[in-house]
Amino acid sequence: LAVIDIQGDYTPDTEGTDEEKMRLPMVSEAVAYVKDELSPNSSYGACYFPWVQIKDDFSSNQLWVPPSVVALGTFSYTKKNSAVWFAPAGFNRGGLSGPNRSSGLNVINSRMGLTVKERDALYEVGINPIAKFPAEGVVVFGQKTLQQTPSALDRINVRRLMNFVKKEISRFATTVLFDPNVQVTWDRFTGKANPFLNSVKTGLGVTDYKIVLDKTTTGIIIIGLVVTSFKLSGIIIFLFLFKHE
């Protein structure tokens, strides 16, 4: 999952010679860039807005960093404290300042304050806003991927869930590679895959799942996952191809 920094955000003085007011972030420019120039439609990418200010705990220096820096930190924090299929956003897992420090850095400010209308404009095109609240401080307030087609995969937590499941299931599948296409082989695979997928279900990663592997599938493992993401639900089908000899 690529986390990219976009045009229309803050330009530091090390990257431009314009006066500061000309280098400040602009929501309209960021939205236009993603919508008209970038024109993405992939669940394997995500972007955030705007830059944030962090304080170095060792030197006490304050500096501005791109939003991708702290966004990646929330991914790690979410995996460590919850699971990859939980949203790396909101006050619990996206709080960048205060005791949580979900990015792993001491975030003290954002480059611009965002109104509700501006947050909505950003989110509509797939830009995850980093907002600032009076009590909670700076917070990642969105978790969309750059997929424009509405589906469960337009959410970061679902994309990360799918990456995680595909990696583990592929690892199980290699253990039966080139084995006879018979019941005992199918049972060996499902004996590993079922407990794994059930643990994902128990951990609230999926609503339900089903594995189809028998003489009708002819060397194809069919796995259906029922996932729920905010108001969107869907069934995602994995096809794993492997050869028996």
Side-chain angles (χ1 to χ4, degrees):
L1 179 62
V3 180
I4 65 172
D5 292 311
I6 58 175
Q7 295 181 21
D9 207 335
Y10 175 62
T11 303
D13 56 9
T14 54
E15 297 181 17
T17 57
D18 294 333
E19 55 183 312
E20 186 176 40
K21 67 179 182 180
M22 300 299 295
R23 295 185 281 105
L24 294 176
M26 293 189 63
V27 170
S28 58
E29 289 187 9
V31 168
Y33 172 72
V34 170
K35 184 178 180 180
D36 302 326
E37 295 186 44
L38 193 60
S39 300
N41 191 22
S42 172
S43 65
Y44 288 94
C47 63
Y48 295 77
F49 181 98
W51 282 46
V52 297
Q53 188 177 41
I54 64 173
K55 182 178 180 180
D56 189 327
D57 289 333
F58 296 99
S59 67
S60 295
N61 290 333
Q62 298 178 6
L63 60 150
W64 295 101
V65 297
S68 59
V69 173
V70 293
L72 289 170
T74 64
F75 289 8
S76 177
Y77 179 89
T78 299
K79 179 180 179 180
K80 179 182 178 181
N81 293 279
S82 301
V84 295
W85 51 80
F86 281 79
F91 301 115
N92 292 330
R93 292 175 296 276
L96 302 177
S97 50
N100 277 359
R101 291 194 189 184
S102 62
S103 69
L105 299 170
N106 185 9
V107 177
I108 57 177
N109 203 358
S110 61
R111 201 61 187 86
M112 71 172 291
L114 297 172
T115 65
V116 173
K117 185 176 180 180
E118 288 171 330
R119 295 203 307 261
D120 291 344
L122 291 166
Y123 211 49
E124 187 177 346
V125 297
I127 305 173
N128 297 305
I130 297 179
K132 186 176 181 180
F133 297 89
E136 295 82 2
V138 184
V139 180
V140 174
F141 219 61
Q143 65 126 5
K144 275 191 177 183
T145 66
L146 288 170
Q147 176 172 302
Q148 301 301 310
T149 304
S151 81
L153 285 170
D154 66 12
R155 309 291 169 163
I156 289 173
N157 67 317
V158 178
R159 176 71 272 166
R160 296 184 76 203
L161 165 67
M162 295 300 106
N163 291 350
F164 175 68
V165 170
K166 285 197 294 185
K167 180 179 179 180
E168 291 301 306
I169 292 297
S170 295
R171 188 166 61 85
F172 298 148
T174 59
T175 65
V176 296
L177 191 65
F178 296 111
D179 285 357
N181 191 18
V182 294
Q183 187 68 51
V184 65
T185 302
W186 308 334
D187 291 345
R188 280 176 52 211
F189 173 82
T190 56
K192 296 178 180 180
N194 268 317
F196 165 68
L197 291 173
N198 189 60
S199 70
V200 175
K201 178 182 177 180
T202 303
L204 306 179
V206 296
T207 307
D208 205 354
Y209 71 90
K210 182 177 183 179
I211 301 174
V212 180
L213 178 59
D214 53 36
K215 62 182 179 181
T216 66
T217 60
T218 318
I220 301 175
I221 305 171
I222 302 175
I223 299 178
L225 303 178
V226 181
V227 298
T228 302
S229 175
F230 289 91
K231 296 181 180 179
L232 294 175
S233 299
I235 298 176
I236 299 176
I237 305 295
F238 284 132
L239 298 180
F240 293 90
L241 308 179
F242 62 101
K243 185 178 181 181
H244 292 288
E245 290 190 356

